[in-house]
Amino acid sequence: ENTKMERPSCGIGVRLRHSAVGALTVAAILEGGSAYHSGMLIAGDAILSVDGVETASRSIREIAALFVGQEGSLAILRVSRPLSDNADRRTLQREGPTMTVAIQRKAFAPLT
């Protein structure tokens, strides 16, 4: 008899969108989520891969599913933070250096 409790599936608390050039970016960090508490991601970061799976040419639904996993597991993200040549950040943006971040998946109720 297997009485092992399955941990719930959880994400990291981000909203995603495709940018004007088709890159998958963080649209918002949800307050109360593990991405919010880690401080490692900001809105506008481009998500290049999740747990080694490249995000290029995948739908937001496919990519969002990659963020979900067992509570307590790590989501390993390769991200690029855009650099701006203009102080108001509205004109020329170019891809910045890439970095890898690990954020723990955790259940939370977004604050509204």
Side-chain angles (χ1 to χ4, degrees), residues 52-98:
V53 178
E54 299 293 322
T55 60
S57 75
R58 294 183 185 270
S59 71
I60 287 180
R61 176 173 277 184
E62 288 176 295
I63 297 162
L66 297 173
F67 280 85
V68 176
Q70 282 194 342
E71 184 171 19
S73 65
L74 293 177
I76 309 298
L77 312 176
R78 191 164 53 89
V79 303
S80 175
R81 185 156 295 160
L83 302 174
S84 176
D85 286 334
N86 189 322
D88 70 9
R89 297 180 152 240
R90 280 184 287 196
T91 57
L92 179 63
Q93 286 196 341
R94 61 190 191 281
E95 189 175 286
T98 62

Side-chain angles (χ1 to χ4, degrees), residues 12-66:
I12 63 169
V14 294
R15 283 200 181 105
L16 304 172
R17 70 176 177 89
H18 281 111
S19 71
V21 295
L24 179 80
T25 61
V26 175
I29 306 291
L30 304 179
E31 191 172 344
S34 52
Y36 174 84
H37 290 295
S38 77
M40 292 185 195
L41 296 175
I42 62 170
D45 283 349
I47 307 295
L48 306 176
S49 70
V50 180
D51 293 335
V53 178
E54 299 293 322
T55 60
S57 75
R58 294 183 185 270
S59 71
I60 287 180
R61 176 173 277 184
E62 288 176 295
I63 297 162
L66 297 173

